[in-house]
Amino acid sequence: MEHLLEELLSDRIKATPPSFIRSILKTASNPEIISFAGGLPNPVSFPQEELLVSMERIVRTYGSSLFQYSITAGLPELRQYIADRYNQKFGLHLSIDNILITTGSQQALDLISKVLLNKGDGVIVEKPSYLGAIQAFSQYQPNFYPVELTESGLNIEHLQAALQNDVKFIYTIPDFQNPTGLTYSAENRDRIYEILKEQDIFLVEDDPYGDLRFEGERLPYIGAGRLPNSILLGTFSKTVTPGMRTGFIISENTELLKYISVAKEASDLHTNIFSQYLIWDYLEHNDYDAHIAQIRKLYQTQAQFMMDAMDRYFPKSVQYTRPHGGMFLWVTLPEGISALSLFPKALEKKIAFVPGDPFYIGMKDTNTMRLNYTNADSETIDEGIHRLGDLLKDMIL
Amino acid sequence: MEHLLEELLSDRIKATPPSFIRSILKTASNPEIISFAGGLPNPVSFPQEELLVSMERIVRTYGSSLFQYSITAGLPELRQYIADRYNQKFGLHLSIDNILITTGSQQALDLISKVLLNKGDGVIVEKPSYLGAIQAFSQYQPNFYPVELTESGLNIEHLQAALQNDVKFIYTIPDFQNPTGLTYSAENRDRIYEILKEQDIFLVEDDPYGDLRFEGERLPYIGAGRLPNSILLGTFSKTVTPGMRTGFIISENTELLKYISVAKEASDLHTNIFSQYLIWDYLEHNDYDAHIAQIRKLYQTQAQFMMDAMDRYFPKSVQYTRPHGGMFLWVTLPEGISALSLFPKALEKKIAFVPGDPFYIGMKDTNTMRLNYTNADSETIDEGIHRLGDLLKDMIL
């Protein structure tokens, strides 16, 4: 059967890498291991008591509508809430027809590539990029054109070169990028906008972390509100609950959203309607921004704690980014040091991180790694960075 | 932009038909219209009060685990419950490694085709088949080989002919098939098993309605428990809640499940974990079989009521199936009468059904239609069938 299976599998699935993060989840969930590998929000970000109150209220108020089949685009009340919030915060002009609810942002990545990509079509991604996005896109066997991500955003020359290819869309995370924690500067955003407005391609701005800024001012989107071919992704995973898989796609291109809706219908009919009612009711009855402010404060403390520990325990030749928000730090080791080969040694010392390799297209033994600071307390962060620092000293000296 | 969009779309999405049912959902949800078009369970099948009790219990007991990211294969406790139930009821030998939780059965159809189908690969379907399955498979541009569905199951000669092609899997709904309401006989199942055990293809048995049998004895599965390449689909949508999108794939081929798991990870990371805990807790703390018995009794009454009304109001030349369970009846009009052209006239009389066409591959103006009897009370069924009968008499006489 194994030989047979190989013959029966699609080329697509053979081209899709399993997620490194999820394959080490079991190891990393060993309570003895200090893990900076995941991308888990701190449970403090789940308003459990308030959600329980909302559950009782919606069951009493809406009864069977919570449990029945529902429409593909998502709960109109929740879509209206999202439209209103983005209009107010970012001066956009959205109606519910511009919003489509997805089963987490991961599904948005799948649906966008499902609707746009033929085998061999071009996709521009950041170098490095989010591994879950690389995985989603890989299912459709595109050609990837990675563009270097710098401290201030995309390398513009590389972007212009990449655009010489037959490209369907460009995928970016302009705020507190995953994995690097970097944020595109206002100037860089404007440069990208000026270039893309002349191009017949889609711009995907993935914004799961924008609300989690703990330093500096929020910057405008690159495309949302000014590029007709803009696709903006949002989620409640980092500010309410990831377990309920509720994300959304925002686009002024309602024709595109109709095709995405057909793909969604064929993929899972609609997103869990109970959870949509629940999140909407929670948002309507609580001070969401005050809740987000709490999360932000906690993550700022934890990020600062991790950076201080790195200053204390890491060799000076090791560099790292200083994020203004979000959930991740990006560490660069001296040239020639493979973070992947460090990984098993770190596990022996009961410390886990994500080596940089799966965030790149086809690169091996890179000298980079991603660290998450949102899901460990100060003491654990100190102990983990201490252990990692000792290992690095052994390796580098 | 519209011209541009056409150029940017994938061939795949151009080949995917929008669902007829979902495109008329808005029309059919007009409260003045009597709709037999949907496939909605009766809200009596949602144990709302019990689910609310379970919600309170799981929030108190499991806290943040309900709201956090979780593993792709699904909640181990729920998978164990499913394994135990199928082992007990059908003499299978399943462990949790044989179960993968999906975001509704629709996602199972998407993932199976994602993992198995290259463009042009063969898929055998019933003629007629479930339109949501045709839609899911179409995304991967296969060649369809429809095999006639008879009163006793698949036409064996047609099946053998279809198997001469390069086929990856065969998709069947052996119990109370959607759309026809037909059930494969025990003999037909055995014939299919004997044929398929010599074949290197997968058999997908979709079983959303098996528990809803109101007449006769449950028959064994065709492949589950005896074909190594068997894939069995189940769901809680018809017996607990469809709104929470919780289905599952059962297979003894754990290698295949690993690939499906990678595809699921890339598609939505994992199914809503709150809902998985909720359904599991509900199942553990209530008499599930007693609940199902209630649904069964109601549907039997409603099916009988619809059949009686059809005997009363339909012209004698109109034929229909007599289901032993499930949710649907299948009506065959005299040759040459198009159910699709009847549809707008029916809407004028404020009555909706699904014309047979979308259940076939590339057929137009067929003389068939699907009626759903689970989501209307006796009076509404009588009135709706009366109106439809009057229309049919006008058309046929």
Side-chain angles (χ1 to χ4, degrees), chain A residues 12 22 69-70 114 238, chain B residues 12 22 69-70 238:
Chain A
R12 182 185 314 111
R22 298 186 73 80
Y69 283 111
S70 189
K114 201 178 232 183
K238 317 303 177 192
Chain B
R12 181 186 311 113
R22 298 186 74 80
Y69 284 110
S70 189
K238 316 304 178 195

Side-chain angles (χ1 to χ4, degrees), chain A residues 1-2 4-14 16-20 22-23 25 39-43 46 48-49 51-52 55-56 59-60 63-72 103-104 106-110 113-119 121 130 132 135-136 139-141 167-168 199-202 228-229 237-238 240-246 253 255-256 259-260 262-275 278 375, chain B residues 1-2 4-14 16-20 22-23 25 39-43 46 48-49 51-52 55-56 59-60 63-72 103-104 106-110 113-119 121 130 132 135-136 139-141 167-168 199-202 228-229 237-238 240-246 253 255-256 259-260 262-275 278 375:
Chain A
M1 191 66 189
E2 238 163 278
L4 163 67
L5 183 61
E6 187 68 20
E7 272 174 37
L8 289 178
L9 290 174
S10 64
D11 298 335
R12 182 185 314 111
I13 196 67
K14 292 179 195 164
T16 305
S19 157
F20 183 85
R22 298 186 73 80
S23 61
L25 213 72
L40 301 188
N42 196 298
F46 316 148
Q48 290 179 214
E49 290 301 320
L51 287 172
L52 184 54
M55 283 173 209
E56 286 159 1
V59 172
R60 298 285 168 230
S64 65
S65 311
L66 304 176
F67 302 104
Q68 187 56 281
Y69 283 111
S70 189
I71 58 174
T72 300
T103 305
Q106 186 70 33
Q107 189 187 43
L109 301 174
D110 181 42
S113 25
K114 201 178 232 183
V115 163
L116 294 177
L117 295 181
N118 289 323
K119 183 175 170 180
D121 281 348
Y130 170 48
Q135 194 193 29
Q139 299 178 104
Y140 303 94
Q141 301 172 273
V167 169
K168 286 283 184 80
Q199 300 277 334
D200 287 342
I201 65 171
F202 284 96
N229 47 1
S237 288
K238 317 303 177 192
V240 184
T241 164
M244 294 210 183
R245 317 299 307 118
T246 312
N253 191 326
E255 272 305 302
L256 174 74
Y259 285 99
I260 291 179
V262 171
K264 177 161 174 67
E265 185 178 288
S267 301
D268 68 357
L269 291 186
H270 63 82
T271 292
N272 191 309
I273 187 66
F274 175 87
S275 297
L278 179 65
N375 197 31
Chain B
M1 191 67 190
E2 238 163 278
L4 163 67
L5 183 60
E6 187 67 21
E7 270 175 35
L8 289 178
L9 290 174
S10 64
D11 298 336
R12 181 186 311 113
I13 195 68
K14 292 179 196 164
T16 305
S19 157
F20 183 86
R22 298 186 74 80
S23 62
L25 214 70
L40 301 188
N42 196 297
F46 315 148
Q48 290 180 212
E49 290 302 319
L51 287 172
L52 184 55
M55 285 174 209
E56 286 159 359
V59 173
R60 299 283 168 234
S64 64
S65 313
L66 304 177
F67 302 103
Q68 189 56 281
Y69 284 110
S70 189
I71 57 174
T72 300
T103 305
Q106 185 69 32
Q107 189 186 43
L109 301 174
D110 181 42
S113 24
K114 202 178 231 183
V115 163
L116 294 177
L117 295 181
N118 289 324
K119 184 176 170 178
D121 281 348
Y130 170 49
Q135 193 193 30
Q139 299 178 103
Y140 303 94
Q141 300 171 271
V167 168
K168 285 285 184 78
Q199 299 279 334
D200 287 342
I201 64 170
F202 284 95
N229 46 2
S237 288
K238 316 304 178 195
V240 184
T241 163
M244 294 210 182
R245 317 298 308 118
T246 312
N253 191 326
E255 273 304 304
L256 175 73
Y259 285 99
I260 291 180
V262 171
K264 177 161 174 66
E265 185 177 287
S267 301
D268 68 357
L269 292 185
H270 63 81
T271 292
N272 192 308
I273 187 66
F274 175 87
S275 298
L278 179 65
N375 197 30

Side-chain angles (χ1 to χ4, degrees), chain B residues 134-201:
Chain B
I134 293 173
Q135 193 193 30
F137 305 155
S138 294
Q139 299 178 103
Y140 303 94
Q141 300 171 271
N143 286 327
F144 285 105
Y145 299 104
V147 169
E148 193 198 356
L149 186 62
T150 72
E151 288 278 336
S152 60
L154 289 182
N155 179 317
I156 295 295
E157 242 173 78
H158 288 194
L159 174 62
Q160 280 166 322
L163 284 167
Q164 299 309 307
N165 300 289
D166 179 19
V167 168
K168 285 285 184 78
F169 65 84
I170 164 168
Y171 174 74
T172 63
I173 311 173
D175 276 354
F176 330 123
Q177 197 246 11
N178 184 353
T180 62
L182 293 171
T183 295
Y184 294 26
S185 70
E187 194 203 342
N188 189 259
R189 290 169 200 240
D190 281 341
R191 291 290 305 278
I192 298 169
Y193 163 73
E194 291 297 334
I195 291 166
L196 292 185
K197 77 176 182 186
E198 309 297 334
Q199 299 279 334
D200 287 342
I201 64 170

Side-chain angles (χ1 to χ4, degrees), chain B residues 360-373:
Chain B
Y360 295 98
I361 309 295
M363 281 176 71
K364 272 226 130 191
D365 291 316
T366 63
N367 59 333
T368 52
M369 62 170 88
R370 189 190 77 174
L371 300 183
N372 166 268
Y373 50 75

